[in-house]
Amino acid sequence: MRSRNLHGDYTRMATGRCVELDGMVRVYAAALAVLFLSLPAASQASPLYMPTPLSAADVLDRAKTAQGALDPGTYVEVTQSHQGGLDRTRTITMNGSDYASISHEGPFTVRDGRFQHQMWDQDENGIVTLSSNFHTRENPDLTALSFPDRWSSGLTMLGITSTKPYEYAIDVHPAGGEHEILYYDATTFLPTRTVRDGADQRRHVIEYGDYRTTFGLTQAFRYRSHDGDASNDYERHTVSFDRATAADFAIPATRALYSVPAGPPLVLAATEYRGDLVLPVTINASTIHLAIDSGAASMTIDPAVAAKIGLAPIGRLTASVGGAYAFSRTIVPHLAIGDLQVDDVVLGEVTMPRQLGGALIAGLLGHDFLASAPVGLDFRRHHVMIYPAGSPPPISAQPIPIDLDDYVPRAVLTLNGVSGHFLIDTGASVTMIFKRFADVARLHVIGKHAGGQLRFLGGVVKAGLTLVDHASIGGTDLGTLFGVVPESSLGERAEFDGVIGRDILANYIVTFDYPNRRMYLEKAY
């Protein structure tokens, strides 16, 4: 399962998967062993590590042998885990590269899988999202492991730990990636732990244990992770791993939160507040205001407002964007947005202290709202257009492909001839270019703090300012643009090079077609 971590204020960019990927952890550990086979480096002596004649390639080759391979066939695995105050039971059925899983976590049920090489998941509200799998393709650490012979791979064999239990240690620190050290038992060569220094400035530790051999594969039946915040401590154990007689890996149909009848679009009149488009939402006879935000990985509500109108939080995790913030979920029996009626919808609870004419903007209309139908946003007329399913695209607009792996739209933006992947964020007032991409594109950043401060849900980050002579997205020429460049990596993600904000988007009628993984920009006049 890929959990939703919501970001706030300027970016509200989804941080994507939770600390673990449940049954996929075993696959990841095995992949590390395969990808290191040709590493030539020898160990280096240090106070922490003793030298070894084995290279990283030797260690990983033996790790691969120690783990073995699963016999052909169909299998079913049941795991139980605990995190954020909730217990979860996950059942995953697998055969070769195909798998399908269902997880029950408190009152929530989610599904995910891979069918004929297509990754998918279905969230608590029933929305199915198809993945482009860019996390694997573009993760610098995995890229380094795939090509270990490159001089710039960033891989180093550290040696054997100088204290018991003795472990082989391999350092992974490629350019643009996160620093991690992989440890393998010095006797069995099985993975024991991973220590990763994340961009969120937290140390993420994963520990593997209770290895058992089932059907040719030796795998960890116990898994634990922690990042220094007790609310995120995660523990999982495998209850059973057996052969299965049958399996259905087909991708389920999405369950849209709402629908509109065939014909012209349903037009909702929004209120503009500091550039945001805000809609009135009725819950339990109370009217609150939610801002439409493509950069939010789900729909959210402020916990104080939720409590006031009778909604109870369920579970608690700590996310990090520019600092730490708490995240819970709640279930709304019924809500109304104009003529749209929605029953039994899950909202995230995230503090959103913003004012609109004396009434609190209580949260965000994010992914599940936008994914239920094609949605058009006209910032100048303050209109939100909800189109019937299957509506033809805007006549004068070219389709722009988007990725939705993190429940937020990611598109290719070209700046001065250099292309990168940017979050399309209607909740961001400015366009943001992460420093590492600004360096690659050779953008001149004007002095420290020239771009002011970027306010995230978790804190404030100072920024510089840059001018881009020419920018384009899809077939749309954006001309020149100003971008802010954060001075800290706290709000960054390796798979994003920046954020396209309303300073650009408000010049267009923006239509999101999440079901077909496209968006459209029509010039607003």
Side-chain angles (χ1 to χ4, degrees), residues 45-67:
S46 79
L48 296 178
Y49 304 102
M50 301 181 294
T52 172
L54 297 180
S55 68
D58 295 330
V59 172
L60 273 293
D61 188 28
R62 297 186 189 191
K64 178 188 175 184
T65 300
Q67 292 174 72

Side-chain angles (χ1 to χ4, degrees), residues 58-113:
D58 295 330
V59 172
L60 273 293
D61 188 28
R62 297 186 189 191
K64 178 188 175 184
T65 300
Q67 292 174 72
L70 190 64
D71 296 336
T74 303
Y75 297 88
V76 59
E77 178 185 47
V78 178
T79 64
Q80 291 182 343
S81 58
H82 180 85
Q83 186 181 41
L86 293 177
D87 294 320
R88 179 171 66 175
T89 299
R90 182 180 193 235
T91 301
I92 176 172
T93 306
M94 63 195 83
N95 187 324
S97 64
D98 288 342
Y99 78 93
S101 84
I102 181 170
S103 298
H104 301 287
E105 184 178 21
F108 309 114
T109 298
V110 299
R111 303 171 186 267
D112 69 281

Side-chain angles (χ1 to χ4, degrees), residues 145-385:
L145 297 173
S146 300
F147 304 98
D149 289 330
R150 292 181 178 176
W151 67 268
S152 59
S153 65
L155 306 179
T156 304
M157 179 66 189
L158 298 176
I160 302 175
T161 56
S162 57
T163 57
K164 294 182 178 180
Y166 296 126
E167 299 165 307
Y168 291 99
I170 300 173
D171 187 279
V172 184
H173 198 187
E178 294 182 318
H179 183 209
E180 57 185 335
I181 300 178
L182 312 180
Y183 294 89
Y184 295 81
D185 186 278
T187 301
T188 66
F189 291 92
L190 293 170
T192 57
R193 59 192 170 110
T194 299
V195 179
R196 176 175 58 87
D197 294 322
D200 57 5
Q201 298 188 2
R202 291 177 178 269
R203 174 157 289 184
H204 301 263
V205 179
I206 301 174
E207 300 170 350
Y208 311 94
D210 188 17
Y211 276 92
R212 305 181 194 180
T213 301
T214 52
F215 307 104
L217 178 67
T218 301
Q219 57 183 312
F221 270 52
R222 187 181 72 252
Y223 173 96
R224 180 174 178 267
S225 68
H226 52 90
D227 64 1
D229 189 305
S231 67
N232 291 338
D233 287 355
Y234 176 85
E235 294 186 8
R236 187 210 70 210
H237 69 278
T238 299
V239 176
S240 61
F241 190 93
D242 298 301
R243 287 191 180 273
T245 56
D248 181 9
F249 301 116
I251 302 173
T254 194
R255 298 196 307 269
L257 294 181
Y258 57 82
S259 63
V260 296
L266 172 66
V267 179
L268 302 176
T271 302
E272 185 272 337
Y273 176 66
R274 294 185 179 178
D276 277 319
L277 293 181
V278 182
L279 290 174
V281 178
T282 302
I283 301 175
N284 291 348
S286 298
T287 299
I288 62 177
H289 296 89
L290 303 183
I292 297 177
D293 189 348
S294 63
S298 73
M299 301 187 297
T300 74
I301 187 171
D302 184 273
V305 175
K308 185 177 180 180
I309 62 178
L311 302 176
I314 304 171
R316 183 184 185 278
L317 293 172
T318 300
S320 178
V321 182
Y325 64 93
F327 170 71
S328 298
R329 286 172 286 182
T330 190
I331 299 175
V332 179
H334 180 80
L335 63 80
I337 309 173
D339 291 334
L340 299 179
Q341 307 293 319
V342 182
D343 294 321
D344 298 320
V345 60
V346 178
L347 304 184
E349 289 201 7
V350 179
T351 301
M352 298 293 293
R354 303 167 74 181
Q355 298 293 326
L356 173 61
L360 185 71
I361 288 186
L364 308 172
L365 292 171
H367 175 269
D368 288 2
F369 174 78
L370 295 170
S372 292
V375 178
L377 305 178
D378 188 332
F379 291 91
R380 297 195 177 185
R381 292 189 296 172
H382 306 157
H383 284 174
V384 178
M385 293 82 71

